Amino acid sequence: MTTNEQILGRDEVDDLEAILSVTNEDVDAVVHAVRSNPDAIFTWDYERSRPALVKLYEKAKTSQWNAETDLDWSIDVDQEKVVLDNVAAQGGFLSSDIDLSDTPFGKWTEKEWIQLGIESQNWTLSQFMHGEQGALICTARVVETVPWIDAKYYGATQVMDEARHVEVFAKYLDSKLSGHYPINAHLRLLLDDIIADNRWDMTYLGMQIMVEGLALAAFGFMHQMTTEPLLKRLLRYVMSDEARHVAFGVLSLKEYYQELSGTEIRERQEFAFEAAVRMRDRFLQQEVWDRMGLDVKETIKLVMQDDGRKIFQQMLFSKIVPNCKKLGLLDAGDGWLRQRFGELGVIQFEDWVDTGEEYAMLDEVAKDREAAAS
Ligand SMILES: [Fe+2]
Ligand SMILES: [Fe+2]
């Protein structure tokens, strides 16, 4: 039986000390190399035998958009106003009544709270950008390693999508916000693990199901909350693509997992659990507390009592859990992953809509094209 220590490098999932000990030392490096050695797979079977992937590929071809011309970059962004609008929407800087009087927050004026909002936004968008680059690299990998021609075709469209996503987030950060953050150490650990694994379906599971599933939920949350029109449209367009990407993962792995043995499925369950924990750890946003000059550990203990934050963290799994269920990962074997998702407090999403079916509905780009044509 694999232990938490082997999967996560710590015994206790919630061991805050161990979580915070994961940091990036080389924050000034311009490149980061990950060693991996998967086989590049040619296929001589050109038969279009997977209609669901053919359909997805056709959809991807007609729903391409241009980051330069389909978004209105002339919109001015007042970051302070964006923060205050978010605060108003949430009903305060924190959403529940935690007594802050004996904490460093007790001395804060509106100025520090606004700065926190600005840093949080810079951090969040920076992590989106880095995650998108992870997707770009993973999808290029999938094109090489997946043995099915329909998946190679579709994957090629996703490479283009991901380049566009990196491009839009980088441009938004540079031209509308006020600073970058390096990649979060937990996100990097996860991306490294996905890329270092030579098995093609692990790239899919790590990226298409876990990272992109979480991104889709996070983008949805931010899209709903923000009043900033450029970011709103940018996120909505990115979500149109992401829903297809997650569907690509669900449709492909559903077929492939039917061939795998119980032991092989268990390895996938463990990988899904590892990814879930890494992503949860990253949302503690330790770098932001540090930049605000706060004691990181004490601050995290405090803010984790905030109900709004708890609900947000759980909501991030609202796409991942139903998709894992659809793949049979929740209940395979002795229901190991169901148990673990239960412990993480996210199993309640199991019967929410899975993305294998949702993607057409989320295609805003196609809707805009139709509206423009009529
Ligand atoms: Fe993306
Ligand atoms: Fe994606």
Side-chain angles (χ1 to χ4, degrees), residues 132 135 139 158 161-162 165 207-208 212 241-242 245-246:
E132 292 293 355
T139 324
Q158 191 179 331
D161 292 350
E162 303 300 4
H165 298 173
M207 182 47 65
Q208 317 290 132
E212 300 196 285
D241 297 340
E242 292 306 345
H245 304 169
V246 182

Side-chain angles (χ1 to χ4, degrees), residues 22-187:
V22 178
T23 51
N24 287 338
E25 304 301 327
D26 57 343
V27 287
D28 296 324
V30 179
V31 296
H32 169 59
V34 183
R35 189 167 297 275
S36 67
N37 190 25
D39 291 338
I41 302 293
F42 281 85
T43 175
W44 311 125
D45 178 1
Y46 295 97
E47 173 112 21
R48 310 297 300 277
S49 55
R50 291 181 172 81
L53 294 184
V54 172
K55 192 173 152 202
L56 205 57
Y57 178 51
E58 289 307 313
K59 185 97 188 132
K61 284 193 279 185
T62 55
S63 295
Q64 292 291 313
W65 49 281
N66 184 333
E68 283 299 325
T69 54
D70 285 320
L71 298 173
D72 181 2
W73 292 99
S74 73
I75 293 172
D76 266 332
V77 178
D78 177 346
Q79 213 180 350
E80 197 172 310
K81 181 179 176 301
V82 170
V83 168
L84 289 172
D85 284 349
N86 288 348
V87 169
Q90 284 168 16
F93 288 105
L94 290 178
S95 57
S96 45
D97 299 326
I98 304 174
D99 181 10
L100 299 173
S101 47
D102 287 335
T103 74
F105 292 114
K107 298 189 200 75
W108 275 19
T109 63
E110 192 176 72
K111 182 171 158 260
E112 283 87 7
W113 285 108
I114 289 172
Q115 191 56 36
L116 173 63
I118 288 175
E119 292 296 339
S120 291
Q121 206 195 12
N122 291 344
W123 180 88
T124 302
L125 273 288
S126 294
Q127 302 315 321
F128 286 168
M129 175 181 70
H130 299 310
E132 292 293 355
Q133 189 186 167
L136 175 63
I137 287 174
C138 284
T139 324
R141 160 77 70 85
V142 162
V143 174
E144 278 191 68
T145 57
V146 67
W148 308 331
I149 198 70
D150 287 316
K152 286 183 189 291
Y153 289 167
Y154 177 76
T157 68
Q158 191 179 331
V159 174
M160 184 61 224
D161 292 350
E162 303 300 4
R164 179 169 58 239
H165 298 173
V166 182
E167 178 195 354
V168 285
F169 283 119
K171 181 164 178 165
Y172 191 81
L173 270 157
D174 275 341
S175 60
K176 307 296 174 188
L177 300 188
S178 51
H180 281 217
Y181 276 79
I183 187 166
N184 168 272
H186 304 284
L187 176 60

